Amino acid sequence: ILNVEQSPQSLHVQEGDSTNFTCSFPSSNFYALHWYRWETAKSPEALFVMTLNGDEKKKGRISATLNTKEGYSYLYIKGSQPEDSATYLCAQPRSNDYKLSFGAGTTVTVRA
Amino acid sequence: DTEVTQTPKHLVMGMTNKKSLKCEQHMGHRAMYWYKQKAKKPPELMFVYSYEKLSINESVPSRFSPECPNSSLLNLHLHALQPEDSALYLCASSQGGGTHQPQHFGDGTRLSIL
């Protein structure tokens, strides 16, 4: 993996169902992995900054795990609600400075 | 409500016009960023200011000129833009540098070049 990649590009989930999607990133020179949620017509909102292999973070019904050795992170949404509809971006600092490389995002649509 | 405020929200300009995008934050953050985002693509970093000094310029054409008048304000001056510069321009800030600081984004300015 040379760049930050996210899959799937989009997904539809029924209200009340749980879902998850993937962020893959270069595992060499790992510093951190950021997750952002971007709702339509709003600004991207930081969800998590993950730094340690095996890290698991939770915010309400959303949680994320991190595997730095194999270069992936999963984001889980439990019991999806319409307000979870958004594009979820992951981003990785590629050096020890301010630069973030973003994935193209996974767009989640929750159907009532 | 976002804590990073961008104005204007929408801007339409001709290729010969000069305009400016503005960004303001009052969180005491010392790093501020400009990103460009085209439809269905990830945000691309343009500039980073750290402690009011330009620290990163991602080889952005000179028709984009950033300015940081003080620690709370960030401007992006636009001149002689091309149609391909039409995009969403996002401003962000973070508490400091380093890799563990989340970035706080504004709502963006939707720019259209005629």
Side-chain angles (χ1 to χ4, degrees), chain A residues 9 31-34 36 38 41-46 49 51 89 93 95-105, chain B residues 2 31 33 35 37 40 42-43 45 48 50 55-56 58 88 90 94 96-103 105-107:
Chain A
Q9 185 176 14
Y31 294 94
L33 195 283
H34 295 220
Y36 293 85
W38 195 355
K42 294 189 177 180
S43 55
E45 172 200 3
V49 177
T51 56
L89 295 166
S95 60
N96 191 20
D97 62 16
Y98 304 89
K99 296 166 70 167
L100 284 180
S101 292
F102 282 86
Chain B
T2 181
Y33 311 75
Y35 288 89
Q37 197 255 340
K40 300 198 183 298
L45 183 66
V48 180
S50 173
S55 64
I56 295 176
E58 288 287 277
L88 180 70
L90 289 165
S94 64
T99 58
H100 298 185
Q101 299 292 336
Q103 294 185 12
F105 287 84
D107 291 339

Side-chain angles (χ1 to χ4, degrees), chain B residues 7-48:
Chain B
T7 55
K9 291 194 183 303
H10 301 274
L11 179 62
V12 179
M13 57 187 286
M15 288 190 284
T16 59
N17 291 157
K18 284 186 181 180
K19 295 285 184 184
S20 297
L21 309 185
K22 296 186 184 301
C23 176
E24 190 168 2
Q25 58 88 14
H26 294 288
M27 295 177 282
H29 287 175
R30 307 309 298 195
M32 296 186 77
Y33 311 75
W34 280 114
Y35 288 89
K36 174 182 178 181
Q37 197 255 340
K38 303 278 272 186
K40 300 198 183 298
K41 300 280 190 185
E44 295 178 0
L45 183 66
M46 300 173 72
F47 302 105
V48 180

Side-chain angles (χ1 to χ4, degrees), chain A residues 13-17 61 77-86 88 108-112:
Chain A
V13 60
Q14 200 66 33
E15 183 177 359
D17 288 350
R61 292 177 292 95
I77 305 175
K78 184 178 177 182
S80 304
Q81 299 296 309
E83 59 265 31
D84 297 326
S85 296
Y88 292 82
V108 175
T109 304
V110 181
R111 296 179 290 212

